Coordinates of all heavy atoms in Angstrom, one line a residue:
V1 N -1.1 1.7 365.6 CA -0.6 1.3 366.9 C -1.7 1.4 368.0 O -2.2 2.6 368.1 CB 0.7 2.1 367.3 CG1 1.5 1.4 368.4 CG2 1.5 2.4 366.1
N2 N -1.8 0.5 368.7 CA -2.8 0.8 369.9 C -2.1 0.6 371.2 O -0.8 0.3 371.3 CB -4.0 -0.2 369.8 CG -3.4 -1.6 369.9 OD1 -2.5 -2.1 370.5 ND2 -4.1 -2.6 369.2
C3 N -2.8 0.7 372.3 CA -2.1 0.7 373.7 C -1.4 -0.6 373.9 O -0.4 -0.6 374.5 CB -3.3 0.9 374.7 SG -3.9 2.5 374.7
D4 N -2.0 -1.8 373.4 CA -1.3 -3.0 373.6 C 0.2 -3.0 373.0 O 1.2 -3.5 373.5 CB -2.1 -4.2 373.1 CG -3.3 -4.5 374.1 OD1 -3.2 -3.9 375.1 OD2 -4.2 -5.1 373.5
D5 N 0.1 -2.5 371.8 CA 1.4 -2.4 370.9 C 2.3 -1.7 371.6 O 3.6 -2.0 371.8 CB 1.2 -1.9 369.6 CG 0.3 -2.7 368.7 OD1 0.4 -4.0 368.9 OD2 -0.5 -2.2 367.8
V6 N 2.0 -0.5 372.2 CA 2.8 0.4 372.8 C 3.3 -0.2 374.1 O 4.6 -0.2 374.4 CB 2.1 1.8 373.2 CG1 2.9 2.6 374.1 CG2 1.8 2.5 372.0
E7 N 2.5 -0.9 374.9 CA 2.9 -1.5 376.1 C 4.0 -2.5 375.9 O 4.8 -2.7 376.7 CB 1.6 -2.0 376.9 CG 2.0 -2.3 378.3 CD 0.7 -2.6 379.1 OE1 -0.2 -2.6 378.5 OE2 0.9 -2.5 380.4
S8 N 3.7 -3.3 374.8 CA 4.7 -4.4 374.6 C 6.1 -3.9 374.2 O 7.0 -4.7 374.4 CB 4.0 -5.5 373.5 OG 4.0 -4.8 372.4
S9 N 6.1 -2.8 373.6 CA 7.5 -2.3 373.2 C 7.9 -1.2 374.1 O 9.0 -0.5 373.8 CB 7.4 -1.8 371.7 OG 6.3 -1.1 371.5
L10 N 7.3 -1.0 375.2 CA 7.6 0.1 376.2 C 9.0 0.0 376.7 O 9.7 1.1 376.6 CB 6.6 0.1 377.4 CG 6.4 1.4 378.0 CD1 5.8 2.4 377.0 CD2 5.3 1.2 379.1
D11 N 9.5 -1.2 377.0 CA 10.7 -1.4 377.5 C 11.8 -0.9 376.5 O 12.8 -0.2 376.9 CB 11.1 -2.8 378.0 CG 10.4 -3.0 379.3 OD1 10.4 -2.1 380.2 OD2 10.1 -4.2 379.6
L12 N 11.6 -1.4 375.4 CA 12.6 -1.1 374.2 C 12.5 0.4 373.9 O 13.6 1.0 373.7 CB 12.3 -1.8 373.0 CG 12.5 -3.3 373.1 CD1 12.0 -4.0 371.8 CD2 14.0 -3.7 373.3
Y13 N 11.4 1.0 374.0 CA 11.2 2.4 373.7 C 12.0 3.3 374.8 O 12.7 4.1 374.5 CB 9.8 2.8 373.7 CG 9.5 4.3 373.5 CD1 9.7 4.8 372.2 CD2 9.2 5.1 374.5 CE1 9.6 6.2 372.0 CE2 8.9 6.5 374.3 CZ 9.3 7.0 373.1 OH 9.1 8.3 372.8
V14 N 11.7 2.9 376.0 CA 12.4 3.7 377.0 C 14.0 3.5 377.0 O 14.7 4.5 377.3 CB 11.8 3.3 378.5 CG1 12.6 3.8 379.7 CG2 10.5 3.7 378.5
D15 N 14.3 2.4 376.7 CA 15.8 2.1 376.6 C 16.4 2.6 375.3 O 17.5 2.2 375.0 CB 16.1 0.5 376.7 CG 15.8 0.0 378.1 OD1 15.7 0.9 379.1 OD2 15.6 -1.1 378.3
R16 N 15.6 3.2 374.4 CA 16.0 3.7 373.1 C 16.5 2.6 372.2 O 17.5 2.8 371.6 CB 17.1 4.7 373.4 CG 16.8 6.0 374.3 CD 15.8 6.9 373.8 NE 15.7 8.0 374.6 CZ 14.7 8.1 375.6 NH1 13.8 7.1 375.8 NH2 14.8 9.2 376.3
E17 N 15.9 1.5 372.5 CA 16.4 0.3 371.6 C 15.5 -0.1 370.5 O 15.7 -1.1 369.9 CB 16.7 -1.0 372.5 CG 17.9 -0.9 373.4 CD 18.0 -1.9 374.4 OE1 17.2 -2.8 374.4 OE2 18.9 -1.7 375.3
L18 N 14.4 0.7 370.4 CA 13.4 0.4 369.4 C 14.0 1.0 368.1 O 14.6 2.1 368.1 CB 12.2 1.2 369.8 CG 10.8 0.5 369.5 CD1 10.8 -0.9 370.1 CD2 9.7 1.3 370.1
E19 N 13.7 0.4 367.0 CA 14.1 0.9 365.7 C 13.3 2.2 365.3 O 12.2 2.3 365.8 CB 14.0 -0.2 364.5 CG 12.5 -0.6 364.4 CD 12.4 -1.7 363.2 OE1 12.7 -1.2 362.1 OE2 12.1 -2.8 363.4
A20 N 13.9 3.1 364.6 CA 13.4 4.4 364.4 C 11.9 4.5 364.0 O 11.1 5.3 364.6 CB 14.3 5.2 363.3
A21 N 11.6 3.5 363.1 CA 10.2 3.6 362.5 C 9.2 3.3 363.7 O 8.1 3.9 363.9 CB 10.0 2.6 361.4
A22 N 9.5 2.2 364.4 CA 8.7 1.8 365.6 C 8.7 2.8 366.7 O 7.6 3.1 367.3 CB 9.2 0.4 366.2
A23 N 9.7 3.5 367.0 CA 9.7 4.4 367.9 C 8.9 5.6 367.6 O 8.2 6.2 368.4 CB 11.3 5.0 368.2
A24 N 8.8 6.0 366.2 CA 8.1 7.1 365.8 C 6.6 6.8 366.1 O 5.8 7.6 366.3 CB 8.4 7.3 364.4
E25 N 6.2 5.5 365.7 CA 4.8 5.1 365.9 C 4.5 5.2 367.5 O 3.3 5.8 367.8 CB 4.6 3.8 365.5 CG 4.6 3.7 363.9 CD 4.4 2.2 363.4 OE1 4.3 1.3 364.2 OE2 4.2 2.1 362.1
V26 N 5.4 4.8 368.3 CA 5.0 4.8 369.8 C 4.9 6.3 370.0 O 4.0 6.7 370.8 CB 6.2 4.2 370.5 CG1 6.0 4.5 372.0 CG2 6.2 2.7 370.2
R27 N 5.8 7.1 369.6 CA 5.7 8.6 370.0 C 4.5 9.1 369.5 O 3.8 9.9 370.2 CB 6.8 9.3 369.4 CG 7.4 10.4 370.3 CD 8.8 10.9 369.9 NE 9.7 9.8 369.5 CZ 10.6 9.8 368.6 NH1 10.8 10.7 367.9 NH2 11.3 8.7 368.5
A28 N 4.1 8.8 368.3 CA 2.7 9.3 367.8 C 1.6 8.9 368.7 O 0.7 9.7 369.0 CB 2.5 8.8 366.4
H29 N 1.6 7.6 369.1 CA 0.5 7.2 370.0 C 0.6 7.9 371.3 O -0.5 8.4 371.8 CB 0.7 5.7 370.2 CG -0.4 5.2 371.1 ND1 -1.7 4.7 370.8 CD2 -0.4 4.9 372.5 CE1 -2.3 4.4 371.8 NE2 -1.7 4.5 372.8
L30 N 1.8 8.1 371.9 CA 1.8 8.8 373.1 C 1.3 10.3 373.1 O 0.8 10.8 374.0 CB 3.3 9.0 373.5 CG 4.0 7.6 373.8 CD1 5.5 7.9 374.2 CD2 3.3 6.8 375.0
G31 N 1.4 10.9 371.9 CA 0.8 12.2 371.7 C -0.6 12.3 371.9 O -1.2 13.4 372.2
E32 N -1.3 11.2 371.6 CA -2.8 11.3 371.8 C -3.3 10.2 372.9 O -4.5 10.0 373.0 CB -3.4 10.9 370.5 CG -3.0 9.6 369.9 CD -3.2 9.5 368.4 OE1 -3.2 10.6 367.8 OE2 -3.6 8.4 367.9
C33 N -2.4 9.7 373.7 CA -2.9 8.8 374.7 C -2.2 9.0 376.0 O -1.1 8.6 376.3 CB -2.5 7.4 374.2 SG -3.2 6.1 375.4
P34 N -2.8 9.8 376.9 CA -2.3 10.1 378.2 C -1.9 8.9 379.1 O -1.0 8.9 379.8 CB -3.4 11.1 378.9 CG -4.3 11.4 377.8 CD -4.2 10.4 376.8
A35 N -2.7 7.8 378.8 CA -2.6 6.6 379.6 C -1.2 6.1 379.4 O -0.3 5.7 380.3 CB -3.6 5.5 379.4
C36 N -0.8 6.0 378.2 CA 0.4 5.5 377.8 C 1.7 6.4 378.1 O 2.7 6.0 378.5 CB 0.5 5.1 376.2 SG -0.5 3.6 375.8
R37 N 1.3 7.7 378.0 CA 2.3 8.6 378.4 C 2.7 8.5 379.8 O 3.8 8.5 380.2 CB 1.7 10.0 378.2 CG 2.8 11.0 377.5 CD 2.1 12.1 376.8 NE 0.9 12.7 377.4 CZ -0.1 13.1 376.6 NH1 -0.1 13.0 375.3 NH2 -1.0 13.8 377.2
G38 N 1.7 8.2 380.6 CA 2.0 8.0 382.0 C 2.7 6.8 382.3 O 3.6 6.7 383.1
R39 N 2.5 5.7 381.5 CA 3.3 4.5 381.7 C 4.7 4.7 381.3 O 5.6 4.2 381.9 CB 2.6 3.2 380.8 CG 1.6 2.6 381.5 CD 1.4 1.2 380.8 NE 0.5 1.5 379.6 CZ -0.7 1.4 379.7 NH1 -1.5 1.1 380.6 NH2 -1.4 1.6 378.6
V40 N 5.0 5.4 380.2 CA 6.3 5.8 379.8 C 7.1 6.5 380.9 O 8.1 6.3 381.2 CB 6.4 6.6 378.5 CG1 7.8 7.0 378.2 CG2 5.9 5.6 377.4
A41 N 6.4 7.5 381.4 CA 7.0 8.4 382.4 C 7.4 7.6 383.7 O 8.4 7.7 384.2 CB 6.0 9.6 382.8
E42 N 6.5 6.7 383.9 CA 6.7 5.8 385.1 C 8.0 5.0 384.9 O 8.8 4.8 385.7 CB 5.4 4.9 385.3 CG 5.2 4.4 386.7 CD 3.9 3.8 386.6 OE1 3.8 2.7 386.3 OE2 2.8 4.4 387.0
R43 N 8.0 4.3 383.7 CA 9.1 3.5 383.3 C 10.4 4.2 383.3 O 11.5 3.8 383.7 CB 8.8 2.8 382.1 CG 9.4 1.5 381.9 CD 9.0 0.5 382.9 NE 7.7 -0.1 382.6 CZ 7.4 -1.2 381.9 NH1 8.4 -1.8 381.4 NH2 6.3 -1.6 381.6
E44 N 10.4 5.5 382.8 CA 11.6 6.2 382.7 C 12.1 6.7 384.0 O 13.3 6.6 384.3 CB 11.4 7.5 381.8 CG 11.4 7.2 380.4 CD 11.2 8.5 379.5 OE1 10.6 9.4 380.0 OE2 11.6 8.3 378.4
T45 N 11.3 7.0 384.9 CA 11.6 7.3 386.4 C 12.3 6.2 387.0 O 13.3 6.3 387.7 CB 10.4 7.7 387.2 OG1 9.7 8.8 386.6 CG2 10.8 8.3 388.6
L46 N 11.7 5.0 386.8 CA 12.2 3.7 387.4 C 13.5 3.5 386.9 O 14.5 3.2 387.5 CB 11.2 2.6 386.8 CG 11.1 1.5 388.0 CD1 10.5 2.0 389.3 CD2 10.0 0.6 387.4
G47 N 13.7 3.6 385.5 CA 15.0 3.3 384.9 C 16.0 4.2 385.5 O 17.2 3.8 385.7
R48 N 15.7 5.5 385.7 CA 16.6 6.5 386.2 C 17.1 6.1 387.6 O 18.2 6.2 387.9 CB 16.0 7.9 386.2 CG 17.0 8.9 385.8 CD 16.4 10.2 385.2 NE 15.0 10.4 385.5 CZ 14.2 10.7 384.5 NH1 14.6 11.0 383.3 NH2 12.9 10.8 384.7
L49 N 16.2 5.8 388.4 CA 16.4 5.4 389.8 C 17.4 4.3 389.8 O 18.4 4.2 390.5 CB 15.2 5.0 390.5 CG 14.3 6.3 390.9 CD1 13.0 5.8 391.6 CD2 15.0 7.2 391.8
V50 N 17.1 3.3 389.0 CA 18.0 2.0 388.9 C 19.3 2.3 388.6 O 20.3 1.9 389.1 CB 17.4 1.0 388.0 CG1 18.3 -0.2 387.8 CG2 16.0 0.5 388.5
R51 N 19.4 3.2 387.5 CA 20.8 3.6 387.1 C 21.5 4.4 388.1 O 22.8 4.3 388.2 CB 20.7 4.4 385.8 CG 20.8 3.4 384.5 CD 20.9 4.2 383.2 NE 19.8 5.0 382.9 CZ 18.7 4.4 382.3 NH1 18.8 3.1 381.8 NH2 17.6 5.0 382.1
L52 N 20.9 5.4 388.7 CA 21.6 6.2 389.6 C 22.0 5.5 390.9 O 23.0 5.9 391.5 CB 20.6 7.3 390.0 CG 20.4 8.4 389.0 CD1 19.4 9.5 389.5 CD2 21.6 9.1 388.7
A53 N 21.2 4.5 391.2 CA 21.6 3.7 392.5 C 21.9 2.3 392.1 O 21.0 1.5 392.0 CB 20.3 3.9 393.4
P54 N 23.2 2.1 392.1 CA 23.5 0.7 391.9 C 22.9 -0.3 393.0 O 22.8 0.2 394.1 CB 25.1 0.7 392.2 CG 25.5 2.1 391.9 CD 24.2 2.9 392.3
Y55 N 22.4 -1.4 392.5 CA 21.6 -2.3 393.4 C 22.3 -2.7 394.7 O 21.8 -2.7 395.8 CB 21.1 -3.5 392.7 CG 22.2 -4.5 392.5 CD1 22.5 -5.6 393.4 CD2 23.1 -4.5 391.2 CE1 23.5 -6.4 393.1 CE2 24.1 -5.3 391.0 CZ 24.3 -6.2 392.0 OH 25.3 -7.2 391.7
Y56 N 23.7 -2.7 394.7 CA 24.3 -3.1 395.8 C 24.4 -2.0 396.8 O 24.7 -2.2 398.1 CB 25.7 -3.7 395.6 CG 26.6 -2.8 394.7 CD1 27.3 -1.7 395.2 CD2 26.6 -3.0 393.3 CE1 28.0 -0.9 394.4 CE2 27.3 -2.1 392.5 CZ 28.1 -1.1 393.1 OH 28.7 -0.3 392.2
S57 N 24.2 -0.8 396.5 CA 24.4 0.3 397.4 C 23.0 1.1 397.5 O 23.0 2.0 398.3 CB 25.4 1.2 397.1 OG 25.0 2.0 395.9
A58 N 21.9 0.5 396.8 CA 20.8 1.2 397.0 C 20.1 1.1 398.4 O 20.2 -0.1 398.9 CB 19.7 0.7 396.0
P59 N 19.8 2.2 399.0 CA 19.2 2.1 400.4 C 18.0 1.4 400.4 O 17.2 1.3 399.3 CB 18.9 3.6 400.6 CG 19.7 4.5 399.7 CD 19.9 3.6 398.4
D60 N 17.8 0.6 401.3 CA 16.5 -0.2 401.4 C 15.3 0.6 401.2 O 14.3 0.2 400.6 CB 16.4 -0.9 402.7 CG 17.4 -2.0 402.9 OD1 18.0 -2.4 401.8 OD2 17.7 -2.6 404.0
R61 N 15.3 1.9 401.7 CA 14.1 2.8 401.5 C 13.8 2.9 400.0 O 12.7 3.0 399.6 CB 14.4 4.1 402.3 CG 13.1 4.4 403.2 CD 13.5 5.8 403.9 NE 14.8 5.8 404.6 CZ 15.7 6.6 404.3 NH1 15.5 7.7 403.5 NH2 16.9 6.6 404.9
L62 N 14.8 3.2 399.2 CA 14.7 3.4 397.9 C 14.1 2.2 397.0 O 13.3 2.3 396.5 CB 16.0 3.8 397.2 CG 16.0 3.8 395.7 CD1 15.0 5.0 395.2 CD2 17.4 4.3 395.1
R63 N 14.8 1.0 397.5 CA 14.4 -0.1 396.9 C 12.9 -0.5 397.2 O 12.1 -0.8 396.3 CB 15.2 -1.3 397.4 CG 15.4 -2.3 396.3 CD 16.4 -3.4 396.7 NE 17.3 -2.8 397.7 CZ 18.4 -3.5 398.2 NH1 18.6 -4.7 397.9 NH2 19.1 -3.0 399.1
A64 N 12.6 -0.2 398.5 CA 11.2 -0.4 398.9 C 10.1 0.5 398.1 O 9.1 0.1 397.6 CB 11.0 0.0 400.3
R65 N 10.7 1.7 397.8 CA 9.8 2.6 397.0 C 9.6 2.2 395.6 O 8.5 2.3 395.1 CB 10.4 4.1 397.1 CG 9.6 5.1 396.6 CD 9.9 6.6 397.1 NE 11.1 6.7 397.7 CZ 12.0 7.5 397.1 NH1 11.7 8.1 395.9 NH2 13.3 7.7 397.7
V66 N 10.7 1.7 395.1 CA 10.6 1.2 393.7 C 9.7 0.0 393.6 O 8.9 -0.1 392.7 CB 12.1 0.8 393.2 CG1 12.0 0.1 391.9 CG2 12.9 2.1 393.1
L67 N 9.9 -0.8 394.6 CA 9.1 -2.0 394.5 C 7.6 -1.6 394.7 O 6.7 -2.1 394.1 CB 9.4 -3.0 395.6 CG 10.8 -3.6 395.4 CD1 11.2 -4.6 396.6 CD2 10.8 -4.6 394.2
A68 N 7.3 -0.7 395.6 CA 5.9 -0.2 395.9 C 5.4 0.4 394.7 O 4.1 0.5 394.5 CB 5.9 0.7 397.1
G69 N 6.3 1.0 393.8 CA 5.8 1.5 392.6 C 5.4 0.6 391.5 O 5.0 1.0 390.4
G70 N 5.4 -0.7 391.8 CA 4.9 -1.6 390.9 C 6.0 -2.1 389.9 O 5.7 -2.6 388.8
A71 N 7.3 -2.1 390.4 CA 8.4 -2.5 389.6 C 8.3 -3.9 389.2 O 8.0 -4.7 390.1 CB 9.7 -2.2 390.2
R72 N 8.4 -4.2 387.9 CA 8.4 -5.5 387.6 C 9.8 -6.0 387.3 O 10.6 -5.2 386.6 CB 7.5 -5.8 386.4 CG 6.1 -6.4 386.8 CD 5.1 -6.4 385.7 NE 4.8 -5.0 385.3 CZ 4.3 -4.8 384.1 NH1 3.8 -5.7 383.4 NH2 3.9 -3.5 383.8
T73 N 10.3 -7.1 387.7 CA 11.7 -7.6 387.4 C 11.6 -8.1 386.0 O 10.7 -8.5 385.5 CB 12.1 -8.6 388.4 OG1 11.1 -9.6 388.5 CG2 12.4 -8.1 389.7
R74 N 12.8 -7.8 385.3 CA 12.9 -8.2 384.0 C 13.6 -9.6 383.8 O 14.5 -9.7 384.5 CB 13.8 -7.3 383.2 CG 13.2 -5.9 383.3 CD 13.3 -5.3 382.0 NE 13.9 -3.9 382.2 CZ 14.6 -3.4 381.1 NH1 15.0 -3.9 380.1 NH2 15.0 -2.2 381.3
Ligands
ZN1 ZN1 -2.3 4.2 374.7

């Protein structure tokens, strides 16, 4: 598994939708790749914010912060 593989399955990994074998490979890569670890942490923080703050009631400030953080719409 290389960084490209990890990046392409990052969303699924963070959402725990990756099959067990693939998730294990991603985890193994994360163990030795700080860059991908950072990407996962970023994605998890973002997901948490989105879940905690329903979009219809999210303060504009929060939304701005999320967008500023490089959020990509799915
Ligand atoms: Zn990597």
Side-chain angles (χ1 to χ4, degrees):
V1 197
N2 59 35
C3 294
D4 286 342
D5 295 330
V6 170
E7 195 166 12
S8 66
S9 42
L10 209 57
D11 279 328
L12 292 175
Y13 177 74
V14 169
D15 291 341
R16 311 284 189 265
E17 284 169 8
L18 215 53
E19 56 179 296
E25 286 182 357
V26 169
R27 216 165 314 146
H29 180 84
L30 294 180
E32 56 197 34
C33 182
C36 287
R37 220 152 45 219
R39 267 195 287 269
V40 167
E42 211 169 82
R43 209 59 81 89
E44 284 182 334
T45 304
L46 211 58
R48 211 158 19 227
L49 285 179
V50 170
R51 263 189 296 275
L52 284 177
Y55 70 92
Y56 50 85
S57 68
D60 286 345
R61 228 176 313 129
L62 172 63
R63 214 170 337 181
R65 189 155 21 112
V66 170
L67 290 176
R72 262 171 289 170
T73 45
R74 306 219 222 152

